[in-house]
Amino acid sequence: MNIIAFSGSLRRDSYNAALLRELKALARPEHEIEIAEIRDFPLYDQDLEQSAYPAVAQALKEKIKAADGVVLVTPEYNRSVPGVLKNALDWVSRPYGTNPFAQKPVLIMGVSGGKIGTAIAQSHLRESLEYLDADTVGQPELYLGPAKELFTDDLALKDDSTKELLTKGLAALSHRKERRV
Ligand code: FNR
């Protein structure tokens, strides 16, 4: 299963980016995870959709279209999805009629400094994905936190139950894909 994954944090020592690296390391050989970057996306501007659609958005859109599944890893900013992640999703979903998420199996997860572990951000993200007609995994829910209790100082995931949840999440994503074959 070919999976494209990206994180909504641009921070160098991001827990969410670390979570994504850990997911890739834990994945079984049949889950081939490619980590994409959204750092260079310009701010969304509908005036550019036809005349100057960004190459970075086109490249990610094509990777999502070609993938068997997508993993989105989101921090929670002010009880919602970080602007950088929403901005990237807005770009790849446009122009109208070219949305690569339609019917696409998607797994979402996130880690935060707080105890509810990005639950509200993920709920907002889920609404956008529903609009985009994605086939979003419902269970397991991956609301992870507090980050400091799950990771070592050098950003290795030390919590075995979180590792187990990540493995279950990937299995659920596979199951979504198999249902579609
Ligand atoms: C946060 N943080 C945060 N945490 C949370 O649980 N709920 C929230 O609504 C917010 N809001 C918020 C806003 C902004 C602008 C920042 C910078 C931070 C704290 C957040 O969980 C923490 O900084 C994480 O470490 C961010 O994820 P990364 O960058 O480590 O992946």
Side-chain angles (χ1 to χ4, degrees):
M1 180 175 192
N2 139 36
I3 297 167
I4 184 85
F6 47 100
S7 140
S9 174
L10 305 182
R11 199 166 73 85
R12 190 191 53 212
D13 292 331
S14 159
Y15 287 114
N16 285 280
L19 182 68
L20 187 45
R21 290 194 297 272
E22 205 71 44
L23 182 79
K24 187 174 159 84
L26 278 172
R28 296 213 298 261
E30 66 262 29
H31 292 125
E32 210 170 291
I33 301 180
E34 181 187 349
I35 298 178
E37 269 292 336
I38 58 170
R39 175 177 299 279
D40 297 328
F41 274 59
L43 288 178
Y44 177 77
D45 177 350
Q46 196 172 1
D47 285 340
L48 304 181
E49 262 191 32
Q50 300 296 337
S51 59
Y53 192 81
V56 281
Q58 188 59 37
L60 183 58
K61 184 192 283 198
E62 282 166 17
K63 282 182 178 182
I64 293 170
K65 270 202 175 131
D68 297 314
V70 180
V71 176
L72 299 178
V73 185
T74 187
E76 182 169 279
Y77 283 0
N78 300 314
R79 295 283 184 244
S80 192
V81 181
V84 288
L85 180 56
K86 182 63 166 51
N87 184 61
L89 295 179
D90 290 342
W91 270 119
V92 299
S93 70
R94 299 293 297 181
Y96 182 76
T98 66
N99 158 33
F101 281 100
Q103 305 294 308
K104 191 68 67 181
V106 179
L107 175 67
I108 61 179
M109 62 182 68
V111 55
S112 78
K115 281 196 172 161
I116 61 169
T118 75
I120 298 174
Q122 287 192 47
S123 159
H124 291 186
L125 183 56
R126 209 171 270 281
E127 277 185 40
S128 293
L129 290 168
E130 195 168 315
Y131 174 75
L132 293 173
D133 201 26
D135 185 11
T136 310
V137 170
Q139 295 292 337
E141 293 175 312
L142 292 150
Y143 304 144
L144 308 172
K148 280 201 168 116
E149 294 177 12
L150 304 179
F151 288 86
T152 63
D153 290 344
D154 54 359
L155 296 175
L157 184 61
K158 64 181 178 187
D159 184 64
D160 286 341
S161 63
T162 301
K163 289 183 186 178
E164 225 173 274
L165 265 181
L166 293 180
T167 305
K168 283 186 181 157
L170 281 178
L173 189 65
S174 289
H175 183 61
R176 296 269 158 166
K177 187 224 159 192
E178 281 153 19
R179 279 200 324 202
R180 310 210 146 265
V181 175

